[in-house]
Amino acid sequence: GLTIQGSASYNKTELTNSPCLIGNIPGTAIEGQCVQNAWVGTAASGNAVSVTDVFGAQGQELANSPKLQANARVRYEWNANEFHYYWQLGAAYQGSSLSSATVVNQYEMPAWTTYDGSIGVERGNWHVDLVGSNLTDINKSLFTSAAQFIVAEVPQRPRTLGLRFGYRFSGE
């Protein structure tokens, strides 16, 4: 009655080129060429900032591409009299990654590991399960961005516990 499942992936990614922003104002000195600088601010109080490698530098790790991801699950099932029991534990891991290739809006997304579990009993057509996810209640950002001029994060779902009751109406 023991089942063990797992999977993992290893990714080594990098930008193979770094496209540039092309000057598209007719009659200017940089028309059709890569823009190197942009003016930020007003004419009186602004300054020039570099816009080279705005999409990331060649050889840089790709955004949203963690080097390692893995998961595992262990489940044990057994019968006693007219009852069918089980318990199950699972874990998921994701390594750190960058939120964006652009330096302007780039955040390092932290690595995280979550653990889930459940136990249950079944008899005939009915079953009862106690389930839990993110059992250690970690709180990491799954994605961070400042694209709308404020830092916004997508948080990890908090610890969730539940009790499920079920009844199967078919005879099978």
Side-chain angles (χ1 to χ4, degrees):
L2 180 65
T3 304
I4 301 173
Q5 295 178 319
S7 66
S9 66
Y10 175 79
N11 298 303
K12 181 161 174 41
T13 63
E14 68 178 50
L15 289 172
T16 57
N17 62 15
S18 184
C20 65
L21 299 173
I22 304 294
N24 62 354
I25 300 173
T28 61
I30 61 166
E31 180 184 5
Q33 299 176 25
C34 288
V35 175
Q36 302 293 315
N37 295 295
W39 189 260
V40 177
T42 66
S45 65
N47 59 353
V49 295
S50 172
V51 292
T52 56
D53 296 330
V54 70
F55 298 110
Q58 189 171 347
Q60 177 182 325
E61 181 180 318
L62 292 176
N64 299 309
S65 183
K67 284 189 179 178
L68 182 61
Q69 291 179 300
N71 68 70
R73 183 179 75 143
V74 176
R75 181 180 175 102
Y76 186 70
E77 299 180 56
W78 71 97
N79 294 315
N81 299 322
E82 297 177 16
F83 294 93
H84 180 79
Y85 299 94
Y86 83 93
W87 61 261
Q88 177 174 293
L89 294 172
Y93 170 81
Q94 179 169 298
S96 64
S97 65
L98 300 173
S99 65
S100 172
T102 61
V103 177
V104 176
N105 191 28
Q106 187 179 77
Y107 296 89
E108 182 170 346
M109 307 311 307
W112 52 263
T113 304
T114 59
Y115 301 95
D116 304 325
S118 60
I119 58 173
V121 61
E122 180 178 325
R123 180 177 181 213
N125 288 352
W126 65 267
H127 66 89
V128 178
D129 305 288
L130 177 62
V131 297
S133 62
N134 193 5
L135 294 174
T136 55
D137 200 25
I138 66 163
N139 185 14
K140 303 283 184 163
S141 175
L142 298 177
F143 182 73
T144 303
S145 173
Q148 297 178 349
F149 305 108
I150 62 167
V151 177
E153 295 182 318
V154 177
Q156 190 103 29
R157 185 176 180 181
R159 178 186 305 123
T160 306
L161 302 173
L163 185 61
R164 291 189 303 216
F165 297 94
Y167 185 83
R168 200 172 44 245
F169 288 97
S170 68
E172 299 176 21

